[in-house]
Amino acid sequence: MTLTTSPFDDDHLHEECGVFGIFGTPDAAAHTALGLHALQHRGQEATGIVATDGEHFNAHRGLGHVGENFGADAQNTVAKLTGFAAIGHNRYATTGETAIRNVQPLFADFEFGGFALCHNGNLTNALILRQQLVRQGCIFQSTTDTETIVHLIARSRRRTVVDRLIEAMNQVDGAYALVCLSSSALIGLRDPNGVRPLILGRLGDSYIITSESCALDIIGADFVRDVEPGELLVIDGTGLKSYFPFRPAERRFCIFEYIYFARPDSLVEGISVYAARKAIGAELAKESGVEADVVVPVPDSGVPAAVGYAAAAGIPFELGIIRNHYVGRTFIQPTDQVRHLGVKLKHNANRAQLAGKRVILVDDSIVRGTTSTKIVEMVRQAGAREVHMRIASPPTTHSCFYGVDTPEREKLLAARMSVEEMARVIGVDSLAFISIDGLYRAMGEPRRDPEAIQYCDACFTGDYPIALTDRDGGNAARQLSLLAEAS
C-alpha cells in the first residue's frame, strides 16, 4: 500500500501559498496560527511560523496542514513561539519534492541581525539569478525561488534592512507578495503589477499583513485596505510607514483569484469573491443557456457560480453532488483495481436529484479533464437523462508563471482540443465556457477599455504582463517554484 496525493486534486490549478504577519501583540504566534487556519485553502503541503521577541527568533516549520502543526494537539508548539511579532506561511500541494528545507518562512542571520521572510508568487528570473549567485559563491540550502531573495539581501551593501530589501527586489522579475520579519519590524511588499493579493488589517493596536480578509475575520481583526501594487509597508514601534520604491507598472491582478483561488467569504481588491462568482455564473447562463431541469454545482468551488447561473436561467438549483469534507490530502491506494474509484472518496451523486433529469453541471475550470470525466460518468450512472457542463472560466490554454502550480501546456486539455473535442472526451451532451469578454463583463470591467481595470488573464489568453526571463532565456519548461528541484 502507498500513500499518494488524491487524484481529484490533480484537475485544478493550485495556488502556491498564503502569508500572514502580525506586529504588536504578545499572542503573535497564536494569532498567526489562526490566520493560517483561515488560509489553509491556499496551501496544504506544509506550514511554518517564525516569531520574535526583539532579541531571539523562534520557529516551527512542518509538513502537513496547519492543524497538524499548530492545532489543539500542538499547543505547546505555539506556546514556545514567544514574541510580539510573527509571520507564517502555508505552502501549496504539489507532486514535487516534499522536504523541510523548502518550508517557509525562511530565516537567516545577517550582519544586521535575524530576518525571516515568506513569499506568495513566483520569480520569473529566479533560475538566472540563482546561477549567477552560485557562480559568485553563494550556497543555497533549498530549491525555492524565495531563497534567491535571501542571498540578494545578504550581498547588498545598503545600510538598513528596508534598503537592502528594496535593492534585492529591484533585481527580480515576477509576481510576489512578501511578508518579512526583522527583530524590530514587520514588512509587507507587493509587486508593481499587483498580481498576487496582499491586504492590511488591524487588531487593536496591532497591524496585520496577509493574503486574504478571511484571515482577519478569524481573529476578529478589521480590514484596513489592500496593499497597493508596488507598495512597501514597514510596521514597527513607531507605527506604520508606506513607501513606493519601484517603478510604477500596469495593475494586473490575477483574475483566477475570483474564479477559484480565494475563499468565497473574502474581499479581494475591494470585491466580494462570492458576489463575483455569482456574477460570473449569471453571465455564463446568458452566454450559453440550454434547456434543462436542474443546475448542479461541482462542489465546493462551483457552488457560487451555479447559484448565479440558476438564478439567471430560471432553473432550479440542487445539490446533485455531495462532497465528503472529511477526506484528507492523501489516501491509501491498495491496488490498481480501485484507483479509479478515488473521485468517489470526495464526491458522490445525489441520485434523487439527478435521475431522469436534464442536468447542467457548473464547475470553475477544466485543466486536464480527468475529474470532469469522472464526475460526468458518476452523474450519468445516477440516471441523468442529459448532462451539460458549463465552466465559469474561459478555456485554460496557457501555463502560469506567476505563482500558480499549472501543468505544462501540452497537458492542458484546452490547449490540445477544441471545445467540441473536449465535450466528447468528457462525455457531456454539450460543453461551454464563459468567454473572456463575458468574464470581464461579470467583473464590471470592459476588456481593453483603457479606463477599466485589466487583469492578469495569461492562463486564458497567453498575454503575460511580466517578462518570463527564465523561460525566454532557455528554461522554457521550468519555473523555480516552491518545491521544484533545481537542475
Side-chain angles (χ1 to χ4, degrees):
M1 296 185 189
T2 57
L3 275 175
T4 63
T5 302
S6 303
F8 39 70
D9 286 333
D10 290 343
D11 201 24
H12 280 105
L13 302 181
H14 294 277
E15 178 61 90
E16 290 217 345
C17 44
V19 297
F20 185 97
I22 186 168
F23 184 95
T25 173
D27 298 319
H31 283 121
T32 300
L34 287 170
L36 293 178
H37 271 287
L39 297 173
Q40 186 70 86
H41 61 288
R42 299 188 73 90
Q44 298 88 49
E45 186 71 23
T47 187
I49 294 175
V50 173
T52 185
D53 59 10
E55 185 175 354
H56 303 99
F57 285 82
N58 307 291
H60 177 81
R61 301 184 299 163
L63 304 178
H65 288 187
V66 178
E68 296 168 341
N69 287 278
F70 304 110
D73 296 333
Q75 283 300 307
N76 290 336
T77 300
V78 175
K80 292 176 183 177
L81 301 177
T82 57
F84 58 84
I87 63 173
H89 184 271
N90 284 341
R91 189 179 65 187
Y92 80 123
T94 185
T95 56
E97 183 198 32
T98 303
I100 287 293
R101 65 177 178 153
N102 284 327
V103 182
Q104 298 186 38
L106 299 184
F107 175 81
D109 276 311
F110 293 100
E111 177 186 4
F112 55 78
F115 189 76
L117 76 160
C118 47
H119 168 214
N120 174 29
N122 197 82
L123 307 184
T124 58
N125 65 338
L127 283 173
I128 289 175
L129 287 174
R130 184 187 183 107
Q131 291 163 0
Q132 293 171 350
L133 289 165
V134 168
R135 284 196 295 269
Q136 293 166 8
C138 293
I139 300 173
F140 281 75
Q141 301 298 316
S142 75
T143 61
T144 72
D145 57 349
T146 310
E147 192 180 356
T148 304
I149 301 171
V150 174
H151 288 283
L152 292 173
I153 293 171
R155 296 182 67 80
S156 174
R157 302 273 65 88
R158 299 299 176 96
R159 187 175 60 86
T160 69
V161 177
V162 172
D163 286 342
R164 285 180 178 228
L165 179 60
I166 291 171
E167 183 175 70
M169 299 313 294
N170 266 312
Q171 298 174 65
V172 305
D173 300 327
Y176 51 84
L178 265 62
V179 177
C180 312
L181 185 66
S182 72
S183 60
S184 60
L186 174 70
I187 303 169
L189 175 60
R190 195 174 178 201
D191 74 79
N193 294 95
V195 176
R196 304 261 68 88
L198 197 64
I199 64 169
L200 175 68
R202 191 159 186 174
L203 179 65
D205 294 329
S206 301
Y207 280 105
I208 299 155
I209 303 173
T210 186
S211 295
E212 291 184 38
S213 63
C214 63
L216 302 177
D217 298 335
I218 197 171
I219 61 172
D222 295 322
F223 173 82
V224 176
R225 64 177 177 86
D226 289 282
V227 178
E228 290 297 314
E231 184 177 18
L232 185 148
L233 295 178
V234 179
I235 299 162
D236 58 20
T238 66
L240 171 70
K241 301 181 186 69
S242 170
Y243 305 94
F244 288 88
F246 308 110
R247 183 180 301 170
E250 182 183 17
R251 194 183 194 111
R252 296 292 293 270
F253 183 69
C254 173
I255 202 166
F256 223 101
E257 291 282 349
Y258 294 113
I259 296 167
Y260 176 71
F261 294 142
R263 244 175 62 165
D265 52 334
S266 284
L267 286 173
V268 178
E269 296 285 283
I271 297 173
S272 161
V273 175
Y274 180 77
R277 289 178 187 168
K278 282 182 64 178
I280 292 169
E283 185 66 32
L284 179 60
K286 295 174 186 176
E287 287 191 346
S288 57
V290 62
E291 290 188 7
D293 302 307
V294 63
V295 174
V296 172
V298 177
D300 284 326
S301 55
V303 172
V307 171
Y309 190 106
I315 300 173
F317 170 95
E318 296 290 352
L319 296 178
I321 301 171
I322 305 302
R323 179 181 174 183
N324 179 2
H325 289 268
Y326 302 98
V327 177
R329 176 175 51 88
T330 59
F331 70 103
I332 295 175
Q333 292 183 335
T335 65
D336 289 338
Q337 185 177 2
V338 300
R339 184 169 283 111
H340 72 282
L341 300 177
V343 71
K344 291 189 176 181
L345 288 173
K346 189 173 183 181
H347 298 128
N348 191 46
N350 186 0
R351 187 175 296 271
Q353 300 300 326
L354 299 173
K357 295 181 180 178
R358 298 169 297 174
V359 177
I360 297 175
L361 289 175
V362 178
D363 204 355
D364 59 90
S365 60
I366 294 177
V367 182
R368 292 180 173 91
T370 51
T371 298
S372 299
T373 302
K374 294 173 183 177
I375 290 289
V376 171
E377 181 182 1
M378 180 192 302
V379 171
R380 288 201 185 278
Q381 289 176 349
R385 183 154 52 97
E386 296 177 11
V387 181
H388 305 272
M389 182 163 272
R390 297 295 180 264
I391 306 300
S393 65
T396 303
T397 54
H398 291 74
S399 299
C400 176
F401 296 90
Y402 302 137
V404 179
D405 179 27
T406 315
E408 295 84 359
R409 192 178 181 198
E410 58 269 19
K411 294 181 181 179
L412 297 172
L413 198 65
R416 299 185 285 111
M417 298 182 182
S418 68
V419 174
E420 292 75 17
E421 290 170 330
M422 294 172 69
R424 287 195 293 272
V425 168
I426 294 169
V428 290
D429 294 283
S430 73
L431 171 66
F433 297 78
I434 193 170
S435 68
I436 187 68
D437 289 329
L439 180 59
Y440 272 79
R441 281 195 298 271
M443 297 304 303
E445 300 291 345
R447 188 164 174 248
R448 299 192 182 92
D449 183 342
E451 300 301 319
I453 294 175
Q454 299 300 301
Y455 294 98
C456 180
D457 53 24
C459 52
F460 311 130
T461 65
D463 176 18
Y464 294 101
I466 303 171
L468 304 180
T469 311
D470 284 335
R471 189 194 72 163
D472 297 338
N475 295 295
R478 298 291 309 281
Q479 56 174 328
L480 191 61
S481 64
L482 289 168
L483 288 178
E485 283 289 344
S487 57

